[in-house]
Amino acid sequence: DSGVTQTPKHLITATGQRVTLRCSPRSGDLSVYWYQQSLDQGLQFLIQYYNGEERAKGNILERFSAQQFPDLHSELNLSSLELGDSALYFCASSPQGGLPQHFGDGTRLSIL
Amino acid sequence: LAKTTQPISMDSYEGQEVNITCSHNNIATNDYITWYQQFPSQGPRFIIQGYKTKVTNEVASLFIPADRKSSTLSLPRVSLSDTAVYYCLVGDKGTTDSWGKLQFGSGTQVVVTP
């Protein structure tokens, strides 16, 4: 058990819709990372937060946004969903920053 | 940005030692080398981290030469359950992150057969 909790585990929705993925980091970890993994693109870094502030931004689309709240949990918002957004979305955390240490089990998003 | 290069795949038999080398020619002074293991449909799992020379834990060993431009993950006596994708990342432990260091490469698919 990594200590990182992601909800929901599965999400099925239609094109054009909006969804929110939630992540609770491991207790004591201040940094949260979001990754997208699809079959043809491997693990893609989306964004990192550290103690509520954006720290690094990767290949995150403008239709996607994220934030980290004062209690350190994070949410990834995906809007105007397209078929190509179907993927596993992983959240990770680390104590201070640097490289991610603990990964959650992911949210599997399926767009119909 | 410490871009990493790994072999795409490696095959092994049960009981053998598997060594995966990662090249990171642009590693910075403050960078650490971290290896992850990922099974299908699961999040990556942190295996081992090191800065120089050799690090060993209950799962693997990590060998880092003096110039630190490469590192080798060693999996002793692999079993079928070690079949997975292995990634190396290079970055610092602190707060000076950059998106390039947080980007996973293609990793190395290790297949262990009986």
Side-chain angles (χ1 to χ4, degrees), chain B residues 29-41:
Chain B
T29 303
N30 294 331
D31 286 343
Y32 282 73
I33 300 152
T34 305
W35 284 81
Y36 303 82
Q37 174 192 56
Q38 186 182 28
F39 299 112
S41 298

Side-chain angles (χ1 to χ4, degrees), chain A residues 33 35 37 43-45 48 50 55-59 88 90 96-101 103-105 108, chain B residues 32 34 36 38 41-44 46 87 89-99 101-104:
Chain A
Y33 314 73
Y35 285 86
Q37 187 170 38
L43 273 164
Q44 298 292 315
F45 168 66
Q48 177 202 8
Y50 175 75
R55 174 58 54 81
K57 181 177 286 189
N59 303 319
L88 266 168
F90 290 108
Q96 291 293 328
L99 297 178
Q101 289 193 15
F103 278 80
D105 292 332
R108 182 176 294 280
Chain B
Y32 282 73
T34 305
Y36 303 82
Q38 186 182 28
S41 298
Q42 294 185 25
F46 172 95
Y87 300 92
L89 251 64
V90 175
D92 57 43
K93 281 188 173 181
T95 57
T96 55
D97 305 320
S98 69
W99 75 268
K101 293 183 177 182
L102 297 169
Q103 181 62 33
F104 281 76

Side-chain angles (χ1 to χ4, degrees), chain A residues 48-112:
Chain A
Q48 177 202 8
Y49 283 85
Y50 175 75
N51 204 20
E53 295 189 2
E54 182 182 306
R55 174 58 54 81
K57 181 177 286 189
N59 303 319
I60 187 167
L61 300 172
E62 287 190 7
R63 300 184 285 109
F64 296 1
S65 65
Q67 56 182 333
Q68 185 180 27
F69 296 87
D71 67 353
L72 301 178
H73 91 272
S74 177
E75 292 181 356
L76 178 67
N77 299 297
L78 316 176
S79 62
S80 302
L81 288 168
E82 302 175 358
L83 294 177
D85 296 328
S86 294
L88 266 168
Y89 291 84
F90 290 108
C91 171
S93 69
S94 69
Q96 291 293 328
L99 297 178
Q101 289 193 15
H102 312 110
F103 278 80
D105 292 332
T107 292
R108 182 176 294 280
L109 177 63
S110 299
I111 312 300
L112 303 180

Side-chain angles (χ1 to χ4, degrees), chain A residues 13-65:
Chain A
T13 189
T15 55
Q17 295 299 305
R18 171 190 171 92
V19 297
T20 298
L21 311 184
R22 181 188 170 99
C23 169
S24 294
R26 182 183 177 100
S27 179
D29 285 359
L30 299 177
S31 195
V32 170
Y33 314 73
W34 286 97
Y35 285 86
Q36 178 194 54
Q37 187 170 38
S38 54
L39 285 175
D40 59 348
Q41 292 215 342
L43 273 164
Q44 298 292 315
F45 168 66
L46 297 178
I47 199 164
Q48 177 202 8
Y49 283 85
Y50 175 75
N51 204 20
E53 295 189 2
E54 182 182 306
R55 174 58 54 81
K57 181 177 286 189
N59 303 319
I60 187 167
L61 300 172
E62 287 190 7
R63 300 184 285 109
F64 296 1
S65 65

Side-chain angles (χ1 to χ4, degrees), chain B residues 55-76:
Chain B
V55 180
T56 297
N57 61 23
E58 64 279 4
V59 177
S61 295
L62 180 59
F63 299 91
I64 305 168
D67 65 7
R68 304 200 326 122
K69 293 184 183 300
S70 67
S71 60
T72 298
L73 174 73
S74 180
L75 306 172

